[in-house]
Amino acid sequence: MKAKHQRLYLGLLGVAAIAGASGLALSALKDQAAFFYAPGDVAKQGLPLGRAVRLGGMVEGGSIKKLADGVSINFVVTDGKATVPVTFKGITPDLFKEKSGVVAEGQFQPDGSFVASNLLAKHDEKYMPPEMAGKMGAAKSLKQ
């Protein structure tokens, strides 16, 4: 076999290996892909039943209700256009509170509610950890 043919076969084998690995990675990620919806999108497009999605918006003021079991909560997510009731069982993030941003991962139920398996609390761009704020305050007082 000529060296030219060996390089050609080796190149084709490399391309086939990369294509195969890409195909396997895409098929593995297919079920893990989560789409993002706002309550207004759900009101317009209908409920995406039977798949993992993300619901994002603001936690409506006065809507957080802790259930008797101590680990479950009910709250309402809104985007100003529509609202969606959410149920979550687990430990909430420290930044989770009323009138703040939240992204809930989970599934819609046929009754229009959302059962979250994970909560991600969002903060604004002005947020600074308390430790950093203390250091910044100390640095400002040293300059004066």
Side-chain angles (χ1 to χ4, degrees):
M1 187 182 277
K2 294 183 181 179
K4 179 179 175 182
H5 290 129
Q6 281 182 330
R7 284 192 307 263
L8 178 64
Y9 288 134
L10 200 58
L12 290 174
L13 184 63
V15 169
I18 290 173
S22 299
L24 287 174
L26 288 175
S27 69
L29 291 175
K30 178 178 65 174
D31 294 333
Q32 298 297 321
F35 299 100
F36 185 90
Y37 290 92
D41 297 337
V42 174
K44 278 189 228 173
Q45 301 170 3
L47 297 174
L49 297 174
R51 64 179 183 189
V53 295
R54 291 183 178 166
L55 174 69
M58 301 294 285
V59 178
E60 198 170 75
S63 70
I64 298 177
K65 306 278 188 276
K66 295 188 187 246
L67 301 180
D69 65 2
V71 293
S72 298
I73 61 169
N74 291 334
F75 60 96
V76 176
V77 174
T78 183
D79 63 354
K81 299 174 188 171
T83 61
V84 174
V86 178
T87 301
F88 174 70
K89 184 174 185 172
I91 299 172
T92 60
D94 291 338
L95 295 174
F96 178 78
K97 59 184 178 186
E98 294 175 350
K99 298 181 182 179
S100 68
V102 68
V103 174
E105 298 175 337
Q107 291 188 343
F108 281 98
Q109 302 302 303
D111 65 355
S113 66
F114 188 82
V115 176
S117 58
N118 191 22
L119 290 182
L120 306 169
K122 300 189 316 186
H123 57 77
D124 63 5
E125 64 278 354
K126 295 182 230 170
Y127 173 76
M128 187 178 299
E131 298 83 18
M132 186 59 76
K135 289 178 183 177
M136 297 294 286
K140 285 182 183 178
S141 64
L142 289 175
K143 286 183 181 180
Q144 296 175 356

